[in-house]
Amino acid sequence: MTETKAIRGRLLWFVDDPETAGDAAHRHVEDGVIVIVDGLIEAVGEASILLPTLPADAAIVDHRPHLIMPGFIDAHLHLPQTQVIASYGAQLMEWLAKFTFVEEQKCAGPAHARKLARFFLNELLASGTTTAAIYCSVHVASVEALFTESQARNTRMIAGKVMMDRNAPAALTDTADTAYADSKALIARWHGRGRQLYAISPRFVVTSTPEQMAAAGRLAAEHPQCHVQTHINENRAEIAFANELYPEPGDYAGIYQHFGLLGARSLMGHCIHMTDREWRRFAQAGAVAVFCPTSNLFLGSGLFDWARAKAEGVPVAVATDIGGGTSYSMLRTMAEAYKVLQLQGQSLSAFAALHAITRGNAKALKLDHLVGSLEPGHEADLVVLDPAATRVMAHRLETARDLAEELFVLVTLGDERNVAATYVMGERIDADREPSPQPSTPPVLANSR
Ligand code: GUN
Ligand code: ZN
């Protein structure tokens, strides 16, 4: 039986990029309604026009005066790092060895992986994030836990098993063969199951042998519908190590390109210290540069050049990078993005920031036909925001003169406290709820870790 529901409030979404299309890029409806049939958006527009068209038994939820947007999208973060966040005093390579690789080993245990997956997804939803591209640990159990919990919440998530076979503790390494076989089995089991999508995830060239890089490239060629996610050009010491391990291609991006890992579905984390040739390689390949502002500041990695990426025609996505990053909130992430751009004499309007975390990230992830918009046909993943949720914000908003100024206050001072509700496929989610995992048959995999 079809179920129709209507969600009423102040609506904001994007149909184009504000940095190129200006005010024509956004839609703002002061008293609007989203009509949802079986989890999909059927219609969107003025309440006065749509309410009379609803069937008599339609449920109407009224969120006025709150602002309703498409659920936020986070293009890069790490499940095993929920207890790595806020680790003191190190830059990337030391931070990986001292904190991250220690904590990630705990994900070998399915009970720990399940605990992290529940916390992680609940925290994302509480922050208004309904889709994310997620690195699990090297352990198959962590991917199982993440997808099982995501399936139970019906969220659209992209995730993958990290592939790493050197320069890491023995307990965290796989091999070229087991990484290939396990990733392949996970793709067969999870990619396209419900709303789950798989990302082939070689961690970065430093932790993969040429054999494993080739295996990852083979997976990408055999599964062109899957994303590839990895790290590049984040930290000077990392870059020197990468080029020392792989001198032939001549630059970091060339290494990924050599192994067939730089394509239009490649989500390349950080991209801070890029050469002219690397920008060109990205542009030609259509590879996505993923900007992680809170992480880049926290780890002292450097400043992402947003204007350069745009000028080169390189698609940009934005992300929290938990737990190098310091907040699950995409609002807080964009507040830090604004500051990173300010340090380079660039600006980021509130419209551009809110576009980036909805339609912009959906496009970069090639999911814009499904999520990131309130246009009919899209999946009804929504975030309901109270821009005046805190005393400081309510006080500041007394002087806001227009929508642009109100939204700039929201982006600059906002976080999870502004999230009044989150909807997944039209269903309101209680982030504190712990849905019981659906029964699942154990996978048959090459590597039982
Ligand atoms: N490079 C390789 N692995 C990681 C990671 O886990 N976090 C960050 N920030 N950079 C990385
Ligand atoms: Zn990362």
Side-chain angles (χ1 to χ4, degrees), residues 78 81 92 95-96 100 203-204 231 234 270 295 299 321:
H78 297 258
Q81 296 178 17
L92 179 64
W95 174 85
L96 283 173
T100 307
R203 183 175 207 123
F204 63 158
H231 298 83
E234 177 178 6
H270 303 297
S295 169
L299 292 175
D321 190 28

Side-chain angles (χ1 to χ4, degrees), residues 48-391:
S48 59
I49 295 172
L50 288 177
L51 287 177
T53 68
L54 293 177
D57 61 348
I60 302 172
V61 187
D62 193 348
H63 283 293
R64 287 177 299 169
H66 293 343
L67 185 66
I68 306 176
M69 290 189 65
F72 299 149
I73 300 170
D74 185 343
H76 177 136
L77 75 170
H78 297 258
L79 167 69
Q81 296 178 17
T82 57
Q83 292 174 317
V84 175
I85 187 170
S87 291
Y88 172 75
Q91 293 212 348
L92 179 64
M93 300 308 281
E94 186 192 356
W95 174 85
L96 283 173
K98 198 165 153 186
F99 305 113
T100 307
F101 289 166
V102 175
E103 210 51 44
E104 292 200 8
Q105 293 183 42
K106 298 181 185 166
C107 286
H112 185 73
R114 192 161 53 245
K115 170 185 156 176
L116 294 195
R118 287 179 175 172
F119 175 84
F120 182 83
L121 290 173
N122 288 347
E123 207 54 40
L124 287 176
L125 291 166
S127 303
T129 297
T130 48
T131 288
I134 301 160
Y135 292 74
C136 299
S137 70
V138 72
H139 314 98
V140 166
S142 71
V143 187
E144 286 295 326
L146 189 279
F147 277 137
T148 301
E149 293 295 324
S150 176
Q151 181 93 329
R153 288 162 181 76
N154 201 20
T155 44
R156 184 170 284 291
M157 295 292 165
I158 305 171
K161 175 202 124 63
V162 155
M163 305 168 71
M164 46 198 292
D165 67 345
R166 66 167 161 183
N167 292 322
L172 271 192
T173 52
D174 49 18
T175 69
D177 288 346
T178 61
Y180 174 87
D182 285 349
S183 301
K184 199 144 182 92
L186 285 165
I187 291 168
R189 184 166 154 78
W190 285 109
H191 185 77
R193 178 166 166 193
R195 303 183 76 201
Q196 312 314 314
L197 299 168
Y198 195 84
I200 298 155
S201 309
R203 183 175 207 123
F204 63 158
V205 302
V206 168
T207 48
S208 287
T209 60
E211 293 71 34
Q212 186 168 76
M213 292 290 285
R218 231 170 29 251
L219 283 170
E222 289 163 4
H223 301 281
Q225 73 283 18
C226 289
H227 291 85
V228 170
Q229 57 181 357
T230 189
H231 298 83
I232 186 170
N233 286 334
E234 177 178 6
N235 170 286
R236 301 272 184 207
E238 167 222 4
I239 296 165
F241 197 4
N243 285 312
E244 191 183 305
L245 291 170
Y246 293 91
E248 288 83 17
D251 59 53
Y252 203 158
I255 305 168
Y256 288 116
Q257 199 157 38
H258 172 79
F259 288 104
L261 292 167
L262 197 71
R265 285 184 178 268
S266 299
L267 310 174
M268 310 299 289
H270 303 297
C271 302
I272 297 168
H273 311 286
M274 299 274 280
T275 64
D276 293 349
R277 184 167 63 179
E278 288 179 304
W279 280 120
R280 279 199 302 278
R281 288 191 198 272
F282 266 63
Q284 281 159 10
V288 179
V290 185
F291 174 25
C292 307
T294 70
S295 169
N296 297 164
L297 294 171
F298 181 74
L299 292 175
S301 302
L303 306 177
F304 177 82
D305 193 341
W306 177 282
R308 177 78 191 266
K310 296 278 169 123
E312 296 285 352
V314 171
V316 174
V318 288
T320 62
D321 190 28
I322 294 295
T326 49
S327 171
Y328 287 81
S329 166
M330 291 306 295
L331 292 173
R332 174 67 69 86
T333 298
M334 296 318 290
E336 300 307 292
Y338 177 84
K339 297 171 194 169
V340 168
L341 269 57
Q342 279 283 75
L343 283 166
Q344 301 172 91
Q346 301 174 24
S347 260
L348 185 68
S349 73
F351 287 117
L354 293 172
H355 172 263
I357 62 179
T358 54
R359 178 180 176 273
N361 269 0
K363 270 185 90 68
L365 269 48
K366 314 278 183 293
L367 297 177
D368 51 311
H369 56 301
L370 297 172
V371 294
S373 172
L374 302 185
E375 291 289 309
H378 285 80
E379 296 168 347
D381 294 346
L382 312 171
V383 56
V384 182
L385 297 160
D386 175 5
T390 71
R391 278 196 305 275

